[in-house]
Amino acid sequence: MPNSADEATSRRRWPRRLRRTVVVLLAVVLLGAASTYGWAWSRLNNDVDLVKVEHRPAPGKGTNYLIVGSDSRDGLSQQDKKNLHTGSAEGRRTDSMMILHTGAHGATMVSLPRDSWVTLPPFTYPMTGKRPGPSKNKLNAAFSLGGPELLVRTIEHNTGLRIDHYAEIGFAGFVNVVDSVGGVRMCLDKPVKDKKSGADLKAGCQTLDGRQALAFVRQRHQEANGDLGRSQNQQKFLAALAKRAARPDQVFVPWKSLPTVGAGLDTLIVDKGSDLRTLMSLFKAMKQVAGGDGNRLNVPVANRGLATSKGDALKWDEGRAKRLFERLRNDQPVGRRG
């Protein structure tokens, strides 16, 4: 049997062993975090140069992110395109646009319907060098004509808000992110069936996989408010996705969180001033909105069926929209939450 001297020696050694164990574990965690950061950083696509945007408004208070869902089919096979009902159009166009404002009063997410009737400001088109004067068009035309830079320029011109950061994700990235978190639970108050998007969902609570989720956020033909209704669905789903991805069983389990990060980065396009800390701040703000500690709004609309040379469009309520954007620019409360 060990004598008392041996026991005393063992007791003295135990704290040293514990400290060494803790140091080793911390080193492993920090090394893993650094490796993950480097891996994720290397995959980040900083493709949008906001410095090129002309005649920008002065910076306001708080931070404004422009979140864009595009119909880019990069990363999709022909079979994927068929299964997801995406069609086979080349290039990319906007399917959704949201301003996420963060500041002293929490987070506010404002949807800008793609059919919004706005002024496209003068812009030099990079492919032709031509510079047409200002013209009226739907908001999504800005992206198709001049890419992210013209979209940012158009939104700044029509809202007076300065966009600090840009984040865009395509179809493939969206589907992959949803699937990587194991799907997102949504509660629908009515069935959703839309042949064009492929949506075929029952009423009630259910978990949507990536394919079903994409169909849900794209459909608008059965929505009473059309593009406005779709914007509300997109906000609701995005908040639910952020909440699901932030669950402890997702964030703190490496083999679950790493696929989520990778799935998101595969088709994510951001501005040159963004890094992973920027994306974490964006994600934190989305989580705030999802948790009810924020606002989900649509830009105020006066006419949902404005007849134009480009087809029916949404006309903003200029007075109410101006007041909303002024409050965001000054980082003031904007009203009800949720």
Side-chain angles (χ1 to χ4, degrees), residues 22 26-27 33 47 49 64 72 77 90 103 117 167-168 200 206-207 253 261 264 267 285 289 299 308 313 317 322 334:
V22 170
L26 284 174
D47 194 41
D49 190 357
N64 297 310
S72 170
S77 67
E90 297 301 323
W117 191 243
E168 174 195 336
D200 188 5
Q206 58 207 286
T207 298
V253 180
V261 173
T267 63
V289 174
V299 62
T308 75
D317 184 317
K322 182 179 179 181
V334 295

Side-chain angles (χ1 to χ4, degrees), residues 44 65 166-167 265 268-270 274-286:
L44 201 57
Y65 303 87
Y166 176 94
L265 293 179
L268 184 67
I269 298 173
V270 298
S274 288
D275 56 20
L276 292 180
R277 288 172 297 181
T278 307
L279 297 183
M280 290 303 296
S281 297
L282 185 154
F283 181 77
K284 181 180 177 181
M286 288 171 54

Side-chain angles (χ1 to χ4, degrees), residues 300-320:
V301 171
N303 187 347
R304 296 196 299 265
L306 178 69
T308 75
S309 59
K310 308 295 184 180
D312 286 352
L314 291 168
K315 179 178 173 56
W316 293 359
D317 184 317
E318 294 182 7
R320 292 170 59 209

Side-chain angles (χ1 to χ4, degrees), residues 13 15-25:
R13 287 174 178 171
R16 289 198 298 270
R17 291 172 181 167
L18 180 60
R19 284 196 296 269
R20 283 198 299 267
T21 301
V22 170
V23 168
V24 169
L25 287 175

